[in-house]
């Protein structure tokens, strides 16, 4: 029986709640980067398509999902604020302009397809199509810049590590986007989409290697940190997954390719979490234990999350079940 006295006495059921919330935080971030990542990737591929029908197919493919997928970014921000308020305050105040850049890119990415469909005028659609592409590329890039700066404790908005992580994450979204479009659109898009996904997978591996090299120089004891067995296993698995992704994409095994892209995304975020822990705000040296909220709110949040997160997961199961399968020629945005 849970009582008020037990809620204030110590962590719920003696669990390591600070560490569990740290893990949960990055699981939420990875979920957003995968689910909204294939939307971003589809937006980047949108720029490379030539016919109006192909562009409409891309918009129809992501239409039912993109706004729901952004819920995970809100959940991530809310969890960071609720569980680690000093880290939230420090990160968002140091990268104030970068946060506005991310929000601006997300707004542009969300507004552009809505405006694109309002008028069937060539010039109107050309400009809003460009806005859609810019928002779809800029959002993951700036999110990657933020993640890179967070990891190394940078106070500047643009750093070499941030740029490296930004490019890496942007390429990863194209990997996911190509698999998602192949799954949803089947033969309605040109075979070049498969090539875009394959090229992005190769570019992603190169970007990962370059970014790890930058981190080896930038992080204290960087080389020894990167030689951690967990990091080595994840990097090796990424190479194998990227190879398998390319093979699956070329064999039109779209769901398998998308699954591999998902694992790569979660692996990417896991590397960031491993490199950061036990710090939660490397710029100040604050650790997970230093910034976690007090016992009572922590326990109450844990109970609330255990009830609400399954409901959120059920919503996404229903959403993706309702719009499963390839889109039809009659479907539009």
């Amino acid at each position: 029986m849970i009582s008020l006295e037990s809620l204030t006495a110590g962590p719920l059921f003696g669990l390591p709640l600070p560490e569990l919330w740290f893990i949960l935080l990055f699981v939420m971030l990875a979920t957003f980067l995968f689910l909204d990542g294939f939307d971003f990737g589809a937006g980047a591929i949108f720029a490379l398509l030539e016919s109006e029908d192909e562009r409409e197919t891309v918009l129809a493919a992501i239409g039912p999902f993109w706004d729901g997928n952004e819920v995970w970014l809100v959940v991530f921000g809310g969890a960071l604020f609720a569980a680690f308020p000093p880290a939230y305050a420090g990160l968002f105040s140091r990268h104030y302009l970068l946060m506005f850049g991310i929000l601006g890119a997300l707004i542009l990415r969300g507004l552009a397809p809505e405006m694109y469909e309002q008028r069937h005028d060539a010039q109107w659609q050309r400009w809003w199509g460009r806005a859609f592409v810019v928002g779809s590329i800029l959002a993951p890039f700036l999110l990657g810049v933020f993640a890179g700066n967070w990891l190394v404790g940078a106070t500047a908005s643009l750093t070499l590590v941030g740029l490296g992580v930004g490019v890496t994450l942007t390429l990863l979204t194209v990997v996911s986007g190509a698999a998602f479009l192949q799954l949803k659109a089947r033969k309605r898009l040109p075979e070049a989409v498969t090539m875009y996904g394959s090229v992005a997978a190769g570019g992603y591996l190169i970007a990962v290697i370059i970014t790890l090299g930058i981190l080896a120089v930038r992080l204290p004891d960087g080389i020894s940190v990167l030689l951690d067995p967990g990091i080595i296993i994840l990097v090796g698995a990424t190479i194998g997954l990227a190879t398998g992704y390319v093979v699956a994409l070329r064999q039109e095994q779209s769901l398998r390719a998308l699954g591999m892209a998902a694992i790569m995304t979660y692996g990417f975020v896991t590397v960031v979490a491993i490199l950061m822990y036990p710090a939660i705000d490397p710029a100040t040296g604050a650790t997970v234990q230093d910034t976690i909220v007090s016992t009572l709110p922590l326990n109450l949040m844990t109970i609330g999350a255990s009830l609400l997160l399954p409901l959120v997961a059920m919503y996404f199961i229903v959403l993706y079940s309702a719009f499963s399968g390839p889109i039809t020629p009659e479907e539009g945005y």
Side-chain angles (χ1 to χ4, degrees):
M1 185 70 178
I2 298 175
S3 64
L4 181 61
E5 185 177 319
S6 64
L7 290 174
T8 56
L12 198 65
F13 304 122
L15 296 170
L17 292 185
E19 289 74 18
L20 290 177
W21 272 93
F22 180 82
I23 293 170
L24 182 61
L25 189 71
F26 281 92
V27 169
M28 293 172 179
L29 178 60
T31 302
F32 167 73
L33 292 178
F34 170 62
L35 292 180
D36 218 24
F38 59 66
D39 296 330
F40 294 142
I45 292 171
F46 182 93
L48 304 172
L49 301 176
E50 298 180 357
S51 75
E52 178 64 22
D53 181 64
E54 290 168 355
R55 296 191 186 103
E56 288 288 349
T57 298
V58 170
L59 294 178
I62 68 170
F65 306 111
W66 72 263
D67 49 351
N69 291 339
E70 289 189 351
V71 166
W72 288 103
L73 182 61
V74 177
V75 173
F76 164 76
L80 180 61
F81 169 75
F84 306 101
Y88 176 92
L91 279 168
F92 280 62
S93 61
R94 280 195 303 274
H95 301 295
Y96 194 72
L97 292 178
L98 189 55
M99 289 294 101
F100 269 90
I102 293 170
L103 288 175
L106 290 171
I107 291 169
L108 188 63
R109 196 286 304 267
L111 178 64
E114 301 288 344
M115 300 301 293
Y116 183 92
E117 295 291 337
Q118 293 302 311
R119 288 172 55 186
H120 293 283
D121 174 84
Q123 186 174 6
W124 173 273
Q125 290 191 326
R126 180 166 58 251
W127 281 104
W128 282 111
R130 290 171 179 171
F132 176 56
V133 172
V134 170
S136 298
I137 294 174
L138 202 57
F141 175 74
L142 292 179
L143 282 164
V145 172
F146 171 75
N149 291 345
W150 182 14
L151 173 61
V152 298
T155 55
S157 294
L158 292 178
T159 63
L160 190 58
V161 173
L163 292 173
V165 177
V167 171
T168 303
L169 183 57
T170 304
L171 288 167
L172 183 55
T173 63
V174 177
V175 170
S176 299
F180 177 75
L181 288 178
Q182 189 186 76
L183 177 68
K184 295 295 290 182
R186 300 293 170 89
K187 299 294 185 180
R188 294 184 61 192
L189 291 176
E191 292 183 4
V193 171
T194 299
M195 181 192 69
Y196 301 149
S198 300
V199 171
Y204 172 69
L205 289 179
I206 294 171
V208 165
I209 293 170
I210 293 173
T211 303
L212 289 175
I214 297 171
L215 287 172
V217 176
R218 181 65 177 79
L219 288 173
D221 302 320
I223 295 178
S224 60
V225 170
L226 293 176
L227 291 177
D228 179 271
I231 301 294
I232 294 173
I233 291 171
L234 284 169
V235 172
T238 296
I239 295 172
L241 286 166
T243 303
Y245 165 87
V246 172
V247 172
L249 205 63
R250 291 181 176 176
Q251 293 177 349
E252 298 187 0
Q253 296 177 339
S254 311
L255 188 59
R256 180 181 172 190
L258 188 61
M260 290 181 175
I263 297 172
M264 282 192 282
T265 303
Y266 280 89
F268 174 81
V269 175
T270 300
V271 169
V272 173
I274 290 174
L275 291 175
M276 187 182 299
Y277 186 80
I280 187 69
D281 189 3
T284 61
T287 66
V288 170
Q289 294 289 344
D290 295 332
T291 56
I292 194 71
V293 292
S294 58
T295 301
L296 179 59
L298 180 61
N299 286 335
L300 291 175
M301 281 194 310
T302 303
I303 295 171
S306 66
L307 297 174
L308 291 176
L309 287 179
L311 294 177
V312 174
M314 286 177 62
Y315 162 76
F316 277 90
I317 291 171
V318 172
L319 174 66
Y320 280 87
S321 298
F323 294 97
S324 62
I327 55 174
T328 63
E330 294 78 22
E331 289 184 73
Y333 180 79

